[in-house]
Amino acid sequence: MPVLRDPVRLIPLLFLAAIAAGTALLSLPLATTDGSSAPLITALFTATSAVAVTGLIVVDTPTYWSGFGQAVILILFQIGGLGIMTAATLLGLMVGRGFGLRDRMAIQVERNRLEVSDAQSVLRLILAITIVVESIVAAILTTRLMTAYDESFVFALWHGLFHAVSAFNNAGFSTYSDSVMGFQQDPVMLVPIMLAVILTALGFPVMQDLRANRLRYRRWTLHTKITVTGTLILLSGGFLATAVMEWSNPETLGPMGFGTKLLNSAFHSVMPRTAGFNSLDVGAFREETLVVNYVLMFIGGGSAGTAGGIKVTTFFVLLAIVLSEVLRRRDASMFGRRFGRSVERQALTVAMLALLFILSATMYIASVTNLPLQDVLFEATSAFATVGLSTGVTAQMPPSAQFVLAMLMFIGRVGTITAATALALGKHDRPYRYPEENPIVG
Amino acid sequence: MPVLRDPVRLIPLLFLAAIAAGTALLSLPLATTDGSSAPLITALFTATSAVAVTGLIVVDTPTYWSGFGQAVILILFQIGGLGIMTAATLLGLMVGRGFGLRDRMAIQVERNRLEVSDAQSVLRLILAITIVVESIVAAILTTRLMTAYDESFVFALWHGLFHAVSAFNNAGFSTYSDSVMGFQQDPVMLVPIMLAVILTALGFPVMQDLRANRLRYRRWTLHTKITVTGTLILLSGGFLATAVMEWSNPETLGPMGFGTKLLNSAFHSVMPRTAGFNSLDVGAFREETLVVNYVLMFIGGGSAGTAGGIKVTTFFVLLAIVLSEVLRRRDASMFGRRFGRSVERQALTVAMLALLFILSATMYIASVTNLPLQDVLFEATSAFATVGLSTGVTAQMPPSAQFVLAMLMFIGRVGTITAATALALGKHDRPYRYPEENPIVG
Ligand SMILES: [K+]
Ligand SMILES: [K+]
């Protein structure tokens, strides 16, 4: 029984439909606190940011959007997050472990259907993980907001639920104007958010593997090994870099106590990878910290999940190739497995297209604004990698620049290869191969 | 008769020796106009910049350095340029057309010598081209400086010769404090410099191919086809982008007449690729123009010549891989020839290492200065790609930052792969291959 036909083209259409519906809902007078209709670009940007689980904003969420508007945003990023995990995982199922683009196409020709039982079991697991994790995090946050911050049950529940769903889907939207900066001293608020983000940023295939094999790491797939190890390396590096570079910055870590410095350094090693909450003022970061954030955002989290960026595996495959060349080895390998040529090229393609989109958008936005280039590059990278961290300049941009950022979020979310493939006309390979000749490179 | 043994390790040593000698000479009181000894970092930076044919400066060449000092700089960049062309071409000869690192190593084991006759014919051709082109350009510039700018014969000859050698070696050093901005209205000065730079930035193998086959492009090697076509694309793109983006900038093209705008746009499409002369104030460029310059500098010119950057072929090989993935083709190809896996990986490695070095240096320099990140990134890219264009901040940097830039120039010049390989301890491949397993990427 066929449930999916050419899903590579279907996915962008479903996302566009969700964005269109969200834009319409957020354009209602009911959606704003002052009862006026939001401008089209504001509704479109916010809906795209929510569906793409990015979290970049052009208006202040709690003061501009009404309770209805905030609920629409919540539903959009929950749908967006579930949609990404489901779509990516179903696509993966269709070709077993190899997510290769060409394999995927070849296999579709043979069997462009997916058994309903597979799909159902995947959906059931995704829903189960979603409900369990979101409930636990929401319960902790709600309790803490009631007991330590004197919020009423209704407010605490709303804020707790909103942040739990936002964290689980790596959305980064917050019902507080200053994101979670008000909780920078409070590990009971920050740690559950961090843990939910770290877990879901691994991506669904890794979660599934961890559920089946727990910590028996010898049984893990190569994908899980690379993602988990890579995540640990990126988190440690981000933590150290943030701590060292911001330690004495009077506008960020400077005035804090020792433990709070470590807590917030840890928080800001997790958030630039995908989630986009901030407990520190990103606009006050030192320039070297911005560079670390560019890199962490660009790399992003695990494949086939709500994380953005080029993905951890993509980055480490590229690194392994570089290492093998420098060490003069024939194969690029990690954990005793060599990579196929196809995956190496896909990794390169993903990274190059990401760079192309980010740089093009940066150039366009720089040409229509007078904003500092470092901030424009930051917002463009944040948008493409669906991170949502901001130095605060997005709201100051003209509509055309905001539209470009919205397109970046969409492309970054749907996946550069998916987008490019859906557009590409040439479907069939040449029936012959050219002879090999190699230019001098480097 | 063996003339070269393990040249991969020899090349960096020869460059270091030239830098050491240059540093010693520039430290003499005789080398400065006021007769004091230059600080060590100033002499070291200038010698490195000259040997690496970069042209970044920390002191004003005509006012700080005496005639003797300037002559030392001239000799250093002439030696540097000849050294690069000779070394790269001899390395290439040893393995025929394939400059592959692994091939190169494998073949060295078999015959780690090069017949003297080959080497002699290469050296003779390089010297002939150098003398002919430098003489013609020097003659034109000298005549123009005497007739149109009322310089005495001795001054005109010195300035003409200096700029001709500087242009031919893509060095970018100038005996004028404002580089060639004084000639921004004068095509007779700018065009010969541009043509010399375009020619030599093709690299020696392309020059050799063009000399043998002229414009019978069907006979050209794949390397020549890619380099020439890529150069035309990059020059056209750079010209259009500079013209459009700077057209109304009051500090650059704005006040100029139509023809002068086109002339200077053309000049600044050529210079960021490698040479580093400027007829416009780079520090006044718009931010979107800076982004175009980052990209042009990063890509650079042709392989095995005095140009820097990752090289034109490297960039287009990477682009071809991306295109083949997007079009779902098995092979990446250009001009009816597919690339081998080895060259694809080398291209990736060169680009990744370049990014790694540039970003690391940018972070370090940003952390020890308060300079704008966009300017620091510009100087780091300019240094690594041995371009020498500057927004003017290098002179304001502390010695440690200048030292990092000097290291970038050295690494960028000697070649990232050469440098990394020379350092790598592991010389032999594993005697077995791992089984293949592929992670999900993207
Ligand atoms: K996000
Ligand atoms: K140069």
Side-chain angles (χ1 to χ4, degrees):
Chain A
M1 189 175 161
V3 288
L4 279 174
R5 279 188 188 278
D6 207 350
V8 174
R9 277 160 207 260
L10 191 63
I11 295 166
L13 291 178
L14 287 175
F15 272 89
L16 281 179
I19 290 169
T23 306
L25 289 171
L26 290 176
S27 296
L28 298 175
L30 185 61
T32 61
T33 44
D34 68 358
S36 64
S37 291
L40 179 62
I41 183 67
T42 303
L44 176 69
F45 189 95
T46 307
T48 308
S49 183
V51 172
V53 296
T54 305
L56 279 179
I57 49 176
V58 288
V59 291
D60 182 42
T61 308
T63 57
Y64 188 87
W65 301 111
S66 64
F68 171 79
Q70 294 177 35
V72 169
I73 293 170
L74 172 73
I75 292 166
L76 288 177
F77 62 65
Q78 176 69 82
I79 288 176
L82 280 178
I84 294 153
M85 280 212 277
T86 312
T89 310
L90 291 183
L91 273 180
L93 265 186
M94 295 179 73
V95 291
R97 285 221 183 136
F99 262 56
L101 183 62
R102 215 169 347 245
D103 305 335
R104 195 191 296 162
M105 296 301 141
I107 285 176
Q108 263 182 270
V109 175
E110 313 271 323
R111 55 157 185 140
N112 60 5
R113 67 202 43 137
L114 184 68
E115 297 311 319
V116 168
S117 59
D118 290 350
Q120 280 181 339
S121 99
V122 166
L123 286 175
R124 213 177 296 127
L125 180 57
I126 289 177
L127 274 176
I129 295 181
T130 303
I131 291 170
V132 169
V133 177
E134 288 183 357
S135 302
I136 294 172
V137 176
I140 298 173
L141 299 184
T142 303
T143 310
R144 183 68 176 177
L145 287 170
M146 285 176 70
T147 54
Y149 297 90
D150 290 328
E151 291 195 5
S152 70
F153 174 69
V154 173
F155 272 93
L157 181 62
W158 174 241
H159 290 148
L161 185 69
F162 194 97
H163 284 83
V165 178
S166 185
F168 181 81
N169 292 287
N170 293 331
F173 277 93
S174 172
T175 45
Y176 300 105
S177 299
D178 60 353
S179 187
V180 295
M181 286 177 66
F183 309 109
Q184 60 184 198
Q185 309 280 344
D186 187 358
V188 182
M189 289 296 291
L190 296 188
V191 171
I193 292 176
M194 275 166 68
L195 291 180
V197 169
I198 293 174
L199 173 71
T200 54
L202 291 170
F204 185 75
V206 173
M207 286 193 262
Q208 208 172 10
D209 200 2
L210 288 180
R211 183 168 162 279
N213 295 309
R214 313 279 160 169
L215 294 181
R216 286 166 300 199
Y217 60 86
R218 283 178 197 282
R219 294 200 198 170
W220 291 353
T221 61
L222 179 64
H223 179 74
T224 301
K225 286 179 186 162
I226 297 178
T227 305
V228 171
T229 316
T231 296
L232 291 175
I233 292 171
L234 292 172
L235 289 177
S236 315
F239 169 72
L240 281 177
T242 310
V244 169
M245 292 168 172
E246 296 294 321
W247 197 264
S248 59
N249 183 343
E251 296 181 78
T252 59
L253 297 182
M256 296 176 176
F258 185 78
T260 310
K261 284 183 179 187
L262 297 188
L263 173 65
N264 285 277
S265 299
F267 196 78
H268 271 273
S269 72
V270 175
M271 295 307 148
R273 296 183 56 238
T274 172
F277 289 112
N278 59 295
S279 66
L280 300 171
D281 179 6
V282 173
F285 272 168
R286 294 204 159 125
E287 292 172 334
E288 53 272 30
T289 316
L290 288 185
V291 178
V292 173
N293 274 265
Y294 294 149
V295 174
L296 287 177
M297 294 196 295
F298 187 79
I299 298 173
S303 302
T306 47
I310 63 168
K311 305 299 177 333
V312 174
T313 41
T314 309
F315 177 72
F316 281 95
V317 165
L318 294 176
L319 265 198
I321 298 171
V322 171
L323 198 66
S324 72
E325 279 298 307
V326 171
L327 296 179
R328 307 173 191 180
R329 285 184 181 150
R330 180 167 49 163
D331 296 320
S333 62
M334 289 185 80
F335 298 107
R337 293 287 182 279
R338 68 185 154 92
F339 304 128
R341 184 172 188 175
S342 176
V343 91
E344 293 183 2
R345 284 176 163 192
Q346 283 168 32
L348 170 66
T349 302
V350 169
M352 288 272 290
L353 287 178
L355 268 182
L356 184 76
F357 283 118
I358 291 172
L359 287 183
S360 307
T362 300
M363 267 178 55
Y364 177 76
I365 297 171
S367 71
V368 296
T369 65
N370 284 317
L371 299 168
L373 192 55
Q374 63 193 53
D375 293 345
V376 175
L377 182 60
F378 193 95
E379 307 293 295
T381 309
S382 179
F384 184 85
T386 68
V387 173
L389 285 182
S390 172
T391 59
V393 300
T394 296
Q396 304 166 33
M397 291 181 187
S400 75
Q402 292 178 352
F403 185 74
V404 166
L405 283 186
M407 285 204 300
L408 270 190
M409 293 192 273
F410 179 74
I411 295 171
R413 186 63 277 170
V414 170
T416 43
I417 287 212
T418 306
T421 311
L423 291 172
L425 293 174
K427 254 187 167 171
H428 301 291
D429 203 358
R430 299 190 188 93
Y432 52 87
R433 298 184 79 182
Y434 289 125
E436 181 175 327
E437 182 176 344
N438 292 311
I440 308 163
V441 299
Chain B
M1 189 180 163
V3 289
L4 280 174
R5 278 188 190 279
D6 207 351
V8 174
R9 278 162 207 259
L10 190 63
I11 294 166
L13 291 179
L14 287 175
F15 272 88
L16 281 180
I19 290 170
T23 305
L25 287 171
L26 290 176
S27 296
L28 298 176
L30 183 61
T32 62
T33 45
D34 67 358
S36 66
S37 290
L40 179 61
I41 182 67
T42 303
L44 175 68
F45 188 96
T46 307
T48 309
S49 183
V51 171
V53 295
T54 305
L56 279 179
I57 49 176
V58 288
V59 291
D60 183 43
T61 308
T63 57
Y64 188 87
W65 301 112
S66 64
F68 171 77
Q70 295 176 35
V72 168
I73 293 171
L74 172 74
I75 292 165
L76 288 177
F77 61 67
Q78 177 69 81
I79 288 176
L82 280 178
I84 294 152
M85 281 211 278
T86 310
T89 309
L90 291 183
L91 273 181
L93 267 186
M94 294 179 73
V95 290
R97 284 224 184 133
F99 262 57
L101 184 61
R102 214 165 351 240
D103 305 336
R104 195 191 296 162
M105 296 302 142
I107 285 176
Q108 262 183 269
V109 175
E110 312 273 320
R111 53 160 185 140
N112 61 6
R113 66 200 46 134
L114 183 69
E115 296 310 320
V116 169
S117 59
D118 290 349
Q120 280 181 340
S121 100
V122 166
L123 285 176
R124 213 177 297 128
L125 180 57
I126 289 177
L127 274 177
I129 295 180
T130 303
I131 291 169
V132 169
V133 178
E134 287 183 357
S135 303
I136 294 174
V137 176
I140 298 173
L141 299 184
T142 302
T143 310
R144 183 69 175 176
L145 286 170
M146 286 176 70
T147 55
Y149 298 88
D150 291 327
E151 291 195 3
S152 70
F153 174 71
V154 173
F155 273 94
L157 181 63
W158 173 240
H159 291 148
L161 184 69
F162 194 95
H163 284 83
V165 178
S166 184
F168 182 83
N169 291 288
N170 294 330
F173 277 92
S174 173
T175 44
Y176 300 106
S177 298
D178 60 354
S179 188
V180 294
M181 286 176 66
F183 310 108
Q184 59 184 198
Q185 310 280 346
D186 187 359
V188 182
M189 288 297 291
L190 297 189
V191 171
I193 291 176
M194 275 166 67
L195 292 180
V197 169
I198 292 174
L199 173 72
T200 53
L202 292 170
F204 185 74
V206 174
M207 286 193 263
Q208 207 171 12
D209 201 3
L210 289 179
R211 183 168 163 279
N213 294 309
R214 312 279 160 170
L215 295 180
R216 287 167 298 199
Y217 60 85
R218 284 178 195 283
R219 295 201 197 169
W220 290 353
T221 61
L222 180 64
H223 179 76
T224 301
K225 286 178 185 161
I226 298 178
T227 305
V228 171
T229 316
T231 296
L232 291 175
I233 292 172
L234 292 172
L235 288 178
S236 315
F239 169 71
L240 281 176
T242 309
V244 169
M245 291 168 171
E246 295 295 321
W247 198 264
S248 59
N249 184 342
E251 294 180 80
T252 59
L253 297 182
M256 297 177 176
F258 185 79
T260 311
K261 283 183 179 186
L262 297 187
L263 172 65
N264 285 276
S265 299
F267 196 78
H268 271 273
S269 71
V270 175
M271 294 307 147
R273 296 183 56 236
T274 172
F277 289 112
N278 60 294
S279 66
L280 300 171
D281 178 6
V282 175
F285 272 168
R286 295 204 158 125
E287 290 171 336
E288 54 272 30
T289 316
L290 288 184
V291 178
V292 172
N293 274 265
Y294 294 149
V295 174
L296 287 177
M297 293 195 295
F298 186 78
I299 297 173
S303 303
T306 47
I310 63 169
K311 304 301 174 338
V312 174
T313 40
T314 309
F315 177 70
F316 281 95
V317 165
L318 294 176
L319 265 197
I321 298 171
V322 171
L323 198 66
S324 72
E325 280 297 307
V326 171
L327 296 178
R328 308 174 190 180
R329 285 185 181 148
R330 179 168 49 166
D331 295 322
S333 62
M334 288 185 81
F335 299 105
R337 293 288 182 278
R338 69 185 155 91
F339 305 127
R341 184 172 188 172
S342 175
V343 91
E344 293 184 4
R345 286 178 162 188
Q346 282 168 31
L348 170 67
T349 303
V350 169
M352 289 271 292
L353 288 179
L355 268 182
L356 184 77
F357 283 118
I358 291 172
L359 287 182
S360 307
T362 300
M363 268 178 54
Y364 176 76
I365 297 171
S367 72
V368 296
T369 65
N370 284 317
L371 298 168
L373 192 55
Q374 62 193 52
D375 293 345
V376 175
L377 182 60
F378 194 95
E379 307 293 296
T381 310
S382 179
F384 183 84
T386 67
V387 173
L389 285 182
S390 172
T391 60
V393 300
T394 296
Q396 304 165 34
M397 291 180 187
S400 75
Q402 293 179 351
F403 184 73
V404 166
L405 282 186
M407 284 204 300
L408 270 189
M409 294 192 274
F410 178 74
I411 295 172
R413 187 63 275 170
V414 170
T416 43
I417 288 211
T418 307
T421 310
L423 291 172
L425 292 174
K427 254 187 167 170
H428 300 293
D429 203 357
R430 297 191 188 93
Y432 52 88
R433 297 183 79 183
Y434 288 126
E436 182 175 327
E437 183 177 344
N438 292 310
I440 307 163
V441 298

